[in-house]
Amino acid sequence: MHMFYEITRKGLKPSIVTYSTMIQGLFRVGRCGDAHKLFDEMPAQGLIPNECTYRIILDGLCNNHQVEEALSLFHLVGDSKLNSDIVVYTILIEGASKCGKLDIARALFHDLVVKGLQPNVRTYTVMINGFCGEGLLREAKHLFLQMDESGCPPNNVTYNVLLQGYLKNHNYNDVEMLLHEMDGRGYSLDASTVSLFIDQIAAGSLDRSMLKLIGSLVPK
């Protein structure tokens, strides 16, 4: 903040990038009020927030559990490029899911499909993670299967997210099948998923015979 205000004291003018960077930093340390103040200050400096600035603000609000405010800003901007930006939709869907507002996340996901926007692999993965977090494994699996049909195949992260959802909710029906699919695609298990598998095997929930398959999917 000291360096930011030193810019104007030296007769220099902060740019949109300067403001956006500063706003992002303030949100990251939870100083939402100061971030808002800088955002509101931009027009007085002759600066119009761009898409990157809006992404930063929406992400900052969501990460600080202010999803309703993020949605209000999103709707306030109206039918601008912001409302046809898949990255913005993904930010809002993830924010709503993390705050336990799955109905909002689901509505946003439906909205982007209605608008003819193609969800990317991250959007799908975020929505699948939201379903898993609420124990809605049928919906998560349906969306997972829909990815290939939509020409957006699941990536390594998507598989790990779905596997973790299955394990945390003690649903083991498709676990082995997913592991074989991952092996066929050359994907690997991340540390969190491996830890869940070890815990479930130790608890007797999963057969120890799966250890070999799990071991083959651990990065060397």
Side-chain angles (χ1 to χ4, degrees):
M1 289 295 286
H2 174 75
M3 292 182 70
F4 178 78
Y5 287 118
E6 192 174 317
I7 293 172
T8 51
R9 283 199 296 269
K10 289 190 173 183
L12 300 171
K13 187 176 180 180
S15 67
I16 290 177
V17 175
T18 316
Y19 269 97
S20 298
T21 303
M22 202 62 232
I23 289 167
Q24 185 175 44
L26 289 166
F27 271 125
R28 282 180 176 171
V29 294
R31 292 173 62 178
C32 302
D34 290 329
H36 274 289
K37 185 179 176 182
L38 281 189
F39 177 63
D40 293 338
E41 189 183 294
M42 291 179 72
Q45 299 297 322
L47 298 172
I48 299 172
N50 59 18
E51 289 174 49
C52 183
T53 311
Y54 278 113
R55 286 177 181 177
I56 286 169
I57 290 169
L58 292 173
D59 190 49
L61 289 170
C62 287
N63 287 335
N64 284 278
H65 309 290
Q66 297 181 24
V67 176
E68 287 86 355
E69 192 167 344
L71 286 168
S72 295
L73 177 61
F74 176 68
H75 293 305
L76 182 67
V77 174
D79 293 325
S80 67
K81 289 181 180 178
L82 194 64
N83 287 42
S84 59
D85 186 341
I86 194 65
V87 176
V88 166
Y89 267 99
T90 305
I91 287 169
L92 293 171
I93 290 167
E94 183 171 31
S97 296
K98 284 182 176 179
C99 291
K101 301 180 185 297
L102 193 64
D103 286 345
I104 292 175
R106 197 199 303 259
L108 285 164
F109 190 86
H110 178 70
D111 189 38
L112 68 89
V113 174
V114 169
K115 286 186 175 180
L117 295 173
Q118 175 61 45
N120 60 28
V121 68
R122 174 156 172 72
T123 316
Y124 274 113
T125 303
V126 162
M127 195 68 242
I128 288 168
N129 192 42
F131 283 136
C132 288
E134 295 295 321
L136 301 172
L137 302 183
R138 184 178 296 177
E139 286 87 341
K141 181 181 178 180
H142 174 75
L143 204 56
F144 178 81
L145 295 174
Q146 187 180 312
M147 292 180 72
D148 269 322
E149 297 170 10
S150 303
C152 181
N155 64 8
N156 196 75
V157 177
T158 317
Y159 272 96
N160 276 279
V161 162
L162 187 57
L163 277 171
Q164 288 183 32
Y166 281 154
L167 293 171
K168 287 175 181 177
N169 288 281
H170 307 288
N171 186 313
Y172 308 115
N173 296 336
D174 297 324
V175 166
E176 190 169 353
M177 180 189 70
L178 284 176
L179 290 173
H180 283 296
E181 281 185 21
M182 287 183 75
D183 192 31
R185 294 186 186 228
Y187 292 160
S188 59
L189 297 171
D190 63 26
S192 297
T193 311
V194 172
S195 179
L196 279 171
F197 268 115
I198 291 171
D199 289 344
Q200 299 278 354
I201 289 171
S205 301
L206 281 171
D207 197 290
R208 295 183 67 85
S209 62
M210 294 186 70
L211 278 171
K212 185 177 181 181
L213 178 56
I214 293 164
S216 68
L217 291 167
V218 175
K220 301 296 185 286

